[in-house]
Amino acid sequence: MLLVTGGAGFIGSNVVAALNDAGRSDVVVCDFLGNEGKWRNLAKRQLVDIVPPAELMDWLKGRKLDAVIHLGAISATTATDGDLVFETNFRLSTRLLDWCTAGAVPFIYASSAATYGDGETGFDDDASLPALKKLRPMNLYGWSKHMFDLAVAGRVANGDPLPPQWAGLKFFNVFGPNEYHKGSMMSVLARRFDDVKAGRVVQLFKSHREGIADGDQRRDFIYVDDVVRVVMWLLATPSVSGLFNVGTGKARSFRDLMLAAYAALGTRPNIEYIDMPEQIRGAYQYFTQSEVDRLHRAGYNGGFTTLEDAVKAYVGDYLDRPDRFR
């Protein structure tokens, strides 16, 4: 069996879909279904079980798995409960890492581009302890992910036991189907698509930094299908371990993202710019762009979808259909 933690969530459910498409029905999901309709992310899937996170370690006792894909986390960049975030994002991750080490089970886990903070030190996925210690995450979520990256890097540096394969994936700005339960953490495209379709005005943030135009704040937007291909490649390539950025390597603006949506629908843009809330201005990233050389050197050659093609696929295959779920 394969275990996917966070498998009812956005990226996790897309990984589960890819596993099913590849003929794997022996998939166990560990997640909360909650009240946000997350079950719909799995409604078209075949699973062995859905295990509540609190029961996971007991469920694992005496089992042998082909791999653990650990995507479960409190991923809201606005989270403020430090104890809960640390317990969920660090301590559970450590317990899973230890379990995979003891049982010689491959371990693929989600890190985050949020570990890079404001990007002042760059976006190089150097997994050495000296390089990681230079990073300064700007929010609790990014810090919790960074702490786990440091813990893994410490084991590597000390020559401590690790799973036969381990891979940390620093996801950049992922968008695509099954993100609809995420509320304010959804991509701007998913949040604003109905406005785009109806011709209503779409609001983007003004810039509060000299030299950057309104709406020209840039992110490395990556379509979820590209992220899934990286995960599937790692599962098929057990000789590869390491910490890797997962982004396109090309920063694009929020304005570009929304203009691509208008183009996909063949409608006229209607965008206005509003002040960014005071409470987030000090922790707002104006630019993220992954460096993907290490992933390519490790052998990955799956390529990445252009922003325009990704938005066209998302709109045409999901957002502009009655059934938006994968």
Side-chain angles (χ1 to χ4, degrees):
M1 290 188 296
L2 289 159
L3 173 66
V4 183
T5 74
F10 168 35
I11 297 175
S13 63
N14 278 277
V15 169
V16 171
L19 291 170
N20 275 184
D21 291 346
R24 296 296 299 256
S25 59
D26 55 342
V27 179
V28 175
V29 163
C30 173
D31 209 337
F32 299 106
L33 293 181
N35 300 308
E36 302 91 2
K38 283 170 66 177
W39 68 270
R40 295 186 182 278
N41 290 343
L42 296 173
K44 302 172 186 177
R45 309 278 69 90
Q46 184 175 1
L47 304 170
V48 174
D49 199 0
I50 300 177
V51 179
E55 299 176 17
L56 179 59
M57 297 315 297
D58 283 339
W59 182 88
L60 284 170
K61 289 177 181 176
R63 295 187 186 271
K64 176 65 178 176
L65 301 176
D66 290 339
V68 171
I69 305 166
H70 179 40
L71 307 175
I74 294 174
S75 58
T77 57
T78 54
T80 58
D81 188 333
D83 297 310
L84 181 61
V85 168
F86 192 77
E87 174 64 30
T88 304
N89 294 2
F90 180 86
R91 297 190 71 209
L92 176 59
S93 299
T94 301
R95 288 193 287 270
L96 281 173
L97 176 64
D98 290 341
W99 186 89
C100 288
T101 300
V105 176
F107 180 67
I108 298 168
Y109 75 93
S111 181
S112 173
T115 59
Y116 291 115
D118 64 4
E120 184 178 341
T121 58
F123 301 94
D124 184 0
D125 51 358
D126 185 342
S128 68
L129 277 175
L132 289 174
K133 287 178 179 179
K134 294 178 183 177
L135 302 184
R136 295 292 181 267
M138 298 172 72
N139 53 57
L140 177 60
Y141 163 67
W143 172 76
S144 68
K145 289 293 188 180
H146 179 56
M147 290 294 288
F148 187 66
D149 289 341
L150 281 169
V152 175
R155 296 189 186 198
V156 172
N158 293 332
D160 294 336
L162 285 164
Q165 179 189 28
W166 65 271
L169 303 179
K170 292 199 173 195
F171 297 134
F172 277 67
N173 280 70
V174 189
F175 68 100
N178 295 9
E179 61 173 317
Y180 320 119
H181 63 282
K182 291 172 65 70
S184 64
M185 292 294 110
M186 275 194 294
S187 68
V188 173
L189 175 55
R191 290 204 313 272
R192 298 290 177 253
F193 178 76
D194 289 340
D195 292 330
V196 172
K197 179 88 185 280
R200 294 188 292 266
V201 67
V202 171
Q203 296 179 331
L204 297 178
F205 285 144
K206 291 180 180 178
S207 170
H208 295 272
R209 186 171 294 181
E210 191 173 343
I212 297 176
D214 294 341
D216 200 38
Q217 302 92 332
R218 295 178 179 245
R219 296 286 185 275
D220 191 331
F221 297 107
I222 179 168
Y223 196 43
V224 71
D225 286 9
D226 294 342
V227 167
V228 169
R229 272 194 293 273
V230 173
V231 173
M232 297 296 285
W233 172 74
L234 282 165
L235 287 172
T237 318
S239 60
V240 172
S241 292
L243 184 63
F244 302 105
N245 283 335
V246 181
T248 66
K250 295 180 180 179
R252 300 291 301 275
S253 71
F254 284 98
R255 183 175 60 249
D256 290 339
L257 179 71
M258 298 315 300
L259 290 176
Y262 285 106
L265 288 171
T267 57
R268 183 178 178 180
N270 185 12
I271 300 172
E272 73 174 17
Y273 300 97
I274 61 172
D275 285 330
M276 189 182 299
E278 292 273 2
Q279 61 266 31
I280 68 171
R281 287 186 196 178
Y284 188 82
Q285 290 176 301
Y286 272 74
F287 181 87
T288 66
Q289 180 171 281
S290 64
E291 296 181 20
V292 291
D293 290 350
R294 281 189 173 80
L295 188 62
H296 290 148
R297 287 200 299 270
Y300 183 72
N301 59 6
F304 300 104
T305 311
T306 66
L307 180 67
E308 286 73 17
D309 287 346
V311 171
K312 184 178 180 180
Y314 190 12
V315 169
D317 295 341
Y318 299 100
L319 289 177
D320 200 28
R321 291 176 177 251
D323 181 359
R324 294 181 171 183
F325 292 86
R326 181 175 183 183

